[in-house]
Amino acid sequence: RAKSEGRGTYRFFEAAMGVEVRERRMLEHGLRHAIARGEMRMVYQPQCHVAGGEVTGFEALLRWRRPGHGSVSPAVFIPIAEESGLILQIGEWVLREVCREAAGWPRALAVAVNVSAVQIHHPGFVQTLHDILMETRLDPARLEIELTETALIRDPERALATLQQIKRLGVGIAMDDFGTGYSSLSNLRAFPFDKIKIDSSFIRSVDRNTQTAAIVRSVLGLGRGLDLPVLAEGVETEQELRFLEAEGCQGMQGYLIGRPAAITEFHDLTHGTPAAKHGAVRAA
Ligand code: C2E
Ligand code: MG
Ligand code: MG
Ligand code: MG
């Protein structure tokens, strides 16, 4: 069908693709210097107990502000960083930045860092992690690495060995975005995860859609059976929170409690008394 529409159409598509490729190349070029130029920063999103509501820690999320272009979503630049290999340098910067920051909080809150498949499969990853923990003196028990299942499928045996080494450092491992992509229940048993994070797509409408509710209930049952705490991502409404509370979900994060923000916005949590509850964070 495309052929019958003639050369003009073909040229149009080719040109459109050319723009995409150029844009991608420009982003990659920008990424190459983004850290050195101070364009990267971390934001933090609070995580809390569903029952009781006290904040237990934060997930660290990367932000890139491109001069003259505004901020670029990690959903756009992380894949480019992965394909170009730049994620190794960027990911190391992220780990060091987050560990250094967290080590300076008077309160020993937990901190979660997203780690890409490319990093996990890089032979130097565990050594780098070890060095950063030594250098920043962060208690490894406060650090959690978030991995998606796609990080495991390329070379499961090697991934398992790496995850076991990470555990030996005393660092926790969470399965991120559970229920999306290449989800396989056997991954939960085969790999030493400490936590399941239910993807936000399942939390959306969980209080209104019986099918979504059934899926979330079954993940919570799985967590109970495997003795793994479950954290719900992307909780936006009181109704979603009430459902999770009724069904015994342990942890949550989402706009309802707090949006990702500079850590200074959470000064009361990182420096204050451990009394903060849902309401106290929401004001941030
Ligand atoms: P993720 O690890 O699953 O992070 C959760 C995403 O959901 C974040 O998007 C967060 O801002 C967003 N979010 C949190 N609460 C809510 C909510 O209530 N509603 C909605 N609609 N969204 C919510 P963000 O920051 O854009 O990051 C997107 C993805 O990029 C992350 O998904 C993660 O896979 C990746 N990423 C972010 N920072 C890093 C990093 O430092 N390293 C690596 N390798 N990947 C990162
Ligand atoms: Mg995550
Ligand atoms: Mg996630
Ligand atoms: Mg994600």
Side-chain angles (χ1 to χ4, degrees), residues 75-231:
V76 171
F77 74 78
I78 293 286
I80 295 173
E82 288 175 336
E83 284 156 32
S84 61
L86 289 166
I87 193 69
L88 293 174
Q89 183 208 338
I90 293 169
E92 183 174 339
W93 179 86
V94 166
L95 269 171
R96 184 170 283 111
E97 184 76 5
V98 172
C99 290
R100 194 164 46 80
E101 182 68 63
W105 303 337
R107 284 189 64 206
L109 291 164
V111 68
V113 179
N114 294 284
V115 169
S116 122
V118 178
Q119 290 173 272
I120 280 294
H121 286 283
H122 187 74
F125 179 75
V126 177
Q127 184 65 49
T128 301
L129 178 61
H130 171 267
D131 292 350
I132 290 172
L133 287 166
M134 290 296 124
E135 184 187 313
T136 60
R137 298 176 171 277
L138 179 73
D139 175 1
R142 291 176 56 198
L143 182 65
E144 180 170 78
I145 277 170
E146 292 194 7
L147 288 176
T148 59
E149 285 167 288
T150 36
L152 310 172
I153 56 169
R154 201 168 82 194
D155 186 347
E157 271 177 44
R158 184 146 147 210
L160 176 60
T162 303
L163 264 52
Q164 283 165 341
Q165 286 177 294
I166 293 170
K167 297 275 299 186
R168 256 180 256 132
L169 294 178
V171 172
I173 307 170
M175 181 180 278
D176 203 355
D177 301 349
F178 186 70
T180 64
Y182 299 89
S183 282
S184 156
L185 298 182
S186 62
N187 285 340
L188 284 173
R189 198 182 50 181
F191 295 94
F193 286 102
D194 301 291
K195 184 185 286 179
I196 301 171
K197 295 188 77 178
I198 310 183
D199 191 66
S200 56
S201 58
F202 297 102
I203 304 309
R204 198 71 48 253
S205 82
V206 76
D207 53 311
R208 283 167 285 128
N209 183 312
T210 53
Q211 279 153 333
T212 312
I215 291 169
V216 171
R217 266 191 210 102
S218 74
V219 177
L220 292 170
L222 203 58
R224 274 191 291 273
L226 297 171
D227 207 15
L228 291 177
V230 178
L231 182 143

